[in-house]
Amino acid sequence: MTHTTVTVETGALRGHIRADGVRSFLGVPYAAPPVGELRWRAPRPAHSWSGVRDALRFGPAAPQAAPPSNSLYFGGEAEFSEDCLTLNVWTPRAGTGPRPVLVWFHFGAYQFGSAANPMYDGERLARSGCVVVTVNHRLGRLGFLAHPALSAESEYGASGNYGLLDQIAALQWVQRNIAAFDGDPGDVTIGGVSAGANSVHVLRASPLAVGLFHKAIAHSGPGLARDLEGPGHPAGVQTLAAGEAAGTEIMETLGARDPAAMRALSPHQIDAVLLPRAHGSWNFDLAPGAEVSLHLFDGAYPLIDGHVLLESPMRAYQSGRIHDVPFLLGDVGNEASGLPYLPTLSAYREHLRATFGDAADRAWELYPASDNGGARSASWDLEADRIFNWSTWAAARSHEAGCVSPLWHFRFLRRPPIAPADDVIEASYAGAFHGSDVLYAFGALERARPSWAWEDADRDLSAAMMSSLVNFVATGDPNGDGVPAWPTFDRRTPSTMRWNVGIEVGETGYDAEKMALLDDLNGWTA
């Protein structure tokens, strides 16, 4: 493998030349390390260097509690540091630009993951003509902690959302530097999966992102839901007041009197705090039988801060105050695969009462259970719809109703050949698991999961999905060579591209009564 160099605003970079002339530049700083006094501050410009800087390996991931190594959601991360604001670029052979650009944000509920996950390896998409950028950003409480004192010391009078400000800084870096990689700064698509897709929803609603992208892709994106006054959750966004209240509790629990004392603590000390109000009896299959808490969502999720977000993404979508760009979005057959579940019938009934209030009986009729095993399945089904499927359905309907730009919707239904030894979730249950579609869309089957028994049908499906993705990034329309005709979405007669062994356009498969229940829960109106 030979080397190549480019020069960006902060200095020269040495990258690799890969197959078919594709070049990769890994671990490129786009902002200054957010350490010491820069912890919980908006990102600052990256430092310059002299000579040629190696860009041959991924930068460290943000501090986090990574999933087990045999989890579907483990990305191979081994090095963690607060000095994590780096990105990676894959680009076609030199002199072939300007090329359309895809900027991709990773999954992980804003708690874990990184841009180094091999499922986002951009080599094959770059070979097809795109410049691909993947982005690390701050996670957890280091990325989203709010507090009145932090708000007071900021130049914009708010706190939290540092991870989102990192993403915006990365997009600004792309505008200033991507031409050096033969990318076109006037033709940028943002995309992501799960929390990365939530980032897409947020960026579409953020006034700070004006002019930074021109198309958008959201795979399994949560975040279109009612505003929350209490603890954060991936189904919605918190108000700044709620975030500051959580941050105050965290600081008090840690015995920290001010931001300086907080900045003296380690990331582990900060993330280890359990707030009593967030304890619960949810179980995760990625930690079999363990009681877990959703405590990290206190002080670790996007906020309506009056700066990055003036309103919730749902309100922005419904009001038409989103950036009007071509949009491609969808979800998978089993969005519940990465979610916690309630292990007892009594806990499930209590969850319905707490979530739906007077509509709890209606929710029970649509998501019934008769015993503890049924409660597990029902809570999985409910949360998959509430967090992922409904959010995608609401975004599709709102965009189609309020935007001029076209929209394409998909459902990914292929069950990958999961190797049981590689996953703690039972392979028979996981099916078309949360995030599995990205393996196919990036052409990363063998690279990300070399031990799985991939079939020609998987490779053919991957080739079609890659073609649609490249077409969309290049033209704003997924149709073209290698893809069956894909009609734009119409909320009156909704259809979807059903990605499976037999690729076809068909019905979305959403249950109308369940979606109507969730419309009412979230105050969504057509």
Side-chain angles (χ1 to χ4, degrees):
M1 192 177 293
T2 56
H3 292 158
T4 182
T5 60
V6 300
T7 299
V8 297
E9 61 188 356
T10 44
L13 294 166
R14 179 184 294 111
H16 279 137
I17 299 179
R18 298 170 178 259
D20 297 330
V22 168
R23 298 168 290 153
S24 66
F25 299 85
L26 310 178
V28 179
Y30 66 85
V35 299
E37 284 299 309
L38 295 186
R39 183 191 278 181
W40 296 309
R41 295 188 190 275
R44 302 296 198 264
H47 304 310
S48 297
W49 58 84
S50 59
V52 180
R53 179 189 176 108
D54 279 344
L56 306 175
R57 60 190 296 269
F58 295 110
Q64 61 189 262
S69 60
N70 59 342
S71 167
L72 290 171
Y73 303 106
F74 178 61
E77 292 83 9
E79 183 181 0
F80 305 93
S81 172
E82 284 190 79
D83 182 3
C84 62
L85 301 188
T86 61
L87 52 77
N88 314 299
V89 182
W90 291 263
T91 185
R93 67 176 65 249
T96 59
R99 295 284 190 172
V101 180
L102 171 63
V103 179
W104 191 264
F105 302 112
H106 65 79
F107 66 42
Y110 295 110
Q111 310 298 309
F112 66 90
S114 78
N117 191 314
M119 71 160 49
Y120 317 130
D121 185 282
E123 182 174 330
R124 290 201 63 189
L125 291 177
R127 207 181 301 168
S128 299
C130 299
V131 176
V132 179
V133 180
T134 61
V135 180
N136 276 347
H137 55 83
R138 283 173 280 184
L139 301 171
R141 289 172 176 159
L142 294 178
F144 294 93
L145 183 73
H147 189 275
L150 292 173
S151 296
E153 72 178 21
S154 78
E155 58 269 30
Y156 50 88
S159 55
N161 287 343
Y162 305 106
L164 299 174
L165 288 168
D166 295 342
Q167 294 176 0
I168 291 166
L171 290 171
Q172 292 168 337
W173 184 96
V174 166
Q175 287 297 305
R176 298 191 305 268
N177 292 280
I178 206 65
F181 302 89
D182 290 321
D184 183 354
D187 193 7
V188 175
T189 300
I190 58 170
V193 58
S194 195
N198 175 267
S199 299
V200 170
H201 291 320
V202 169
L203 291 167
R204 291 196 70 192
S206 175
L208 302 186
V210 172
L212 298 181
F213 62 91
H214 313 92
K215 312 177 194 79
I217 300 170
H219 286 234
S220 301
L224 266 70
R226 60 183 174 177
D227 305 349
L228 296 175
E229 295 294 339
H233 190 280
V237 292
Q238 291 186 95
T239 62
L240 178 60
E244 288 182 337
T248 298
E249 286 187 60
I250 290 166
M251 285 183 62
E252 290 175 349
T253 304
L254 285 165
R257 291 177 295 180
D258 54 32
M262 285 289 285
R263 290 182 174 115
L265 298 175
S266 72
H268 174 73
Q269 288 173 299
I270 293 163
D271 275 344
V273 172
L274 299 176
L275 298 184
R277 67 179 183 178
H279 286 187
S281 58
W282 292 90
N283 279 357
F284 276 101
D285 262 353
L286 51 82
E291 179 176 325
V292 300
S293 165
L294 300 184
H295 74 280
L296 287 180
F297 292 110
D298 273 323
Y301 207 70
L303 302 158
I304 304 168
D305 63 350
H307 181 58
V308 176
L309 274 176
L310 307 183
E311 60 188 336
S312 70
M314 187 184 79
R315 293 180 189 277
Y317 269 87
Q318 285 225 282
S319 65
R321 290 188 291 267
I322 53 172
H323 304 313
D324 190 346
V325 296
F327 195 25
L328 190 154
L329 83 167
D331 47 39
V332 302
N334 183 18
E335 293 289 9
S337 56
L339 292 177
Y341 61 89
L342 287 161
T344 67
L345 190 60
S346 60
Y348 176 57
R349 291 300 295 260
E350 177 56 33
H351 176 62
L352 293 184
R353 286 191 290 270
T355 302
F356 291 93
D358 292 342
D361 289 342
R362 181 180 167 197
W364 173 262
E365 291 175 1
L366 294 172
Y367 299 94
S370 58
D371 54 26
N372 290 345
R376 167 178 169 149
S377 297
S379 60
W380 256 331
D381 291 345
L382 169 63
E383 295 304 280
D385 279 347
R386 189 170 74 93
I387 295 173
F388 295 111
N389 294 324
W390 181 83
S391 182
T392 295
W393 179 229
R397 289 177 292 167
S398 295
H399 175 106
E400 196 269 342
C403 293
V404 174
S405 301
L407 164 75
W408 289 267
H409 184 278
F410 70 84
R411 300 293 309 280
F412 180 83
L413 304 173
R414 172 64 170 169
R415 174 181 169 181
I418 301 167
D422 288 346
D423 181 41
V424 292
I425 299 175
E426 304 95 329
S428 60
Y429 166 71
F433 64 87
H434 180 64
S436 57
D437 48 340
V438 179
L439 287 166
Y440 291 76
F442 271 69
L445 306 183
E446 280 88 359
R447 178 155 294 179
R449 296 290 178 176
S451 65
W452 293 7
W454 299 106
E455 302 173 2
D456 287 344
D458 295 297
R459 298 182 185 92
D460 291 344
L461 177 58
S462 176
M465 292 184 68
M466 284 181 61
S467 292
S468 73
L469 178 58
V470 171
N471 292 341
F472 183 80
V473 171
T475 69
D477 186 335
N479 287 286
D481 292 341
V483 184
W486 187 347
T488 55
F489 180 84
D490 183 335
R491 70 188 185 284
R492 291 166 292 274
T493 56
S495 65
T496 188
M497 179 67 81
R498 299 170 68 88
W499 293 117
N500 207 333
V501 172
I503 304 170
E504 63 179 4
V505 173
E507 296 182 354
T508 62
Y510 298 129
D511 184 289
E513 288 187 82
K514 292 177 178 178
M515 295 300 106
L517 169 70
L518 296 170
D519 284 348
D520 293 343
L521 173 68
N522 291 293
W524 191 93
T525 55

